[in-house]
Amino acid sequence: MRRTARYAFAAFAWLFFVGVVVQVFFAGVGLFGAGSMETHVSLGWTLHLVPLVILLLAWGAGAGRRTMWHAAALFLVTFVQPILAIMRADQPWVAALHPVVALGIFWLALEVARMSLTVVRADAPARPVRAAAQEA
Amino acid sequence: MTSAPPVRPAHDPVAATARVAYAATAAVFTACLVIQVLLVGVDAFVTAEHGSLHRDFAYAYGWLAAVLVLLASLGRFPRSLQLLTVLLLLLFAVQTALPGLATGLPLLGGLHAVNSLALLWLAGWLAVRSYPRNGGRNP
């Protein structure tokens, strides 16, 4: 069960990271008028609660405290992100933080994805000493 | 990226000074990139100027990328760090060219946004890596 959670954690973490990069691409496409901003908005709401799944999987995978804190921070900033854009009418200066928070999400998503690989590696069986020595 | 060779202390005073200047310039450049991204939000949500603040600010600090290349050479940083600094300059040059190209091919506007992530990550990494406490300290 824990092993499945570890692989699922890594898969979701990396998929989310790719999703964030694609989301930024759609933002650029929308701003330059190559397409509608609707694609960016739709994908944003699709990604909105994925970090909650990542956080639960990290917990199920038995990830360390540092990974859990990063995953929790990722959930928090991703949850706030679309709400900032909604505030454009009443609080435009707060809404202006939307792209800066995106940078934070990008960095946290990359960190969590990298940490997920460490969690998966912890699950891998130890290599025989002779094989490791031959590789060196 | 994180497995790059350690930055050894410089014994030449010119190199030592260049290393401190590099770390400071890289930190300022990274901060400017964050402000640059904030200005996208200001243009989009506050002023509705469609990128004028964002565009003008880029010309105010872009030259720092070229200064970083010079300082990396003077500071005698490891080859990998010098090459990554050149890559930063190239990414910045591509970044400034993409909006103009996007008028003919608007999908390139999407790459402008994605390239900003790569730029910021690389600039931040170089700033952290060159920070004196991380190995770039003077003798």
Side-chain angles (χ1 to χ4, degrees):
Chain A
M1 186 66 182
R2 175 155 287 192
R3 188 175 188 185
T4 308
R6 284 177 174 175
Y7 282 97
F9 169 47
F12 269 81
W14 280 103
L15 278 174
F16 181 76
F17 173 70
V18 172
V20 168
V21 174
V22 172
Q23 174 70 341
V24 170
F25 177 79
F26 283 147
V29 165
L31 284 170
F32 279 87
S36 163
M37 251 324 180
E38 198 52 45
T39 317
H40 175 72
V41 173
S42 301
L43 182 59
W45 285 114
T46 306
L47 294 172
H48 191 215
L49 291 177
V50 173
L52 178 61
V53 178
I54 292 172
L55 180 62
L56 291 172
L57 286 170
W59 175 71
R65 185 173 291 188
R66 191 162 172 266
T67 306
M68 289 298 293
W69 276 114
H70 275 77
L74 180 64
F75 167 62
L76 189 70
V77 290
T78 309
F79 187 81
V80 167
Q81 178 71 331
I83 297 167
L84 290 176
I86 290 171
M87 294 169 78
R88 68 170 71 186
D90 300 326
Q91 303 283 341
W93 282 100
V94 177
L97 293 174
H98 185 72
V100 178
V101 171
L103 295 179
I105 292 173
F106 170 77
W107 178 75
L108 279 169
L110 181 59
E111 284 299 302
V112 170
R114 287 167 62 175
M115 288 171 176
S116 74
L117 292 183
T118 309
V119 173
V120 167
R121 281 193 200 110
D123 197 43
R127 288 182 307 165
V129 176
R130 185 177 294 175
Q134 281 174 345
E135 280 181 26
Chain B
M1 268 309 233
T2 49
S3 60
V7 179
R8 295 173 193 277
H11 298 291
D12 171 11
V14 174
T17 308
R19 287 184 176 198
V20 172
Y22 181 98
T25 308
V28 169
F29 187 76
T30 307
C32 285
L33 285 173
V34 174
I35 293 169
Q36 177 81 349
V37 172
L38 174 67
L39 290 177
V40 176
V42 173
D43 279 333
F45 296 112
V46 182
T47 63
E49 290 279 334
H50 300 295
S52 64
L53 281 174
H54 174 74
R55 184 176 54 242
D56 295 344
F57 186 64
Y59 295 114
Y61 73 93
W63 54 276
L64 288 176
V67 171
L68 282 171
V69 173
L70 183 69
L71 290 172
S73 176
L74 286 174
R76 295 180 191 169
F77 278 115
R79 177 76 65 171
S80 58
L81 201 139
Q82 291 190 35
L83 288 175
L84 287 170
T85 308
V86 172
L87 177 64
L88 183 74
L89 178 63
L90 287 175
L91 285 178
F92 194 84
V94 168
Q95 185 71 347
T96 52
L98 279 172
L101 297 171
T103 53
L105 193 58
L107 272 177
L108 288 178
L111 287 184
H112 180 73
V114 173
N115 193 45
S116 72
L117 296 177
L119 254 177
L120 207 111
W121 184 79
L122 182 57
W125 188 87
L126 288 170
V128 170
R129 194 72 194 80
S130 63
Y131 187 67
R133 281 188 179 179
N134 290 338
R137 65 183 171 275
N138 299 310

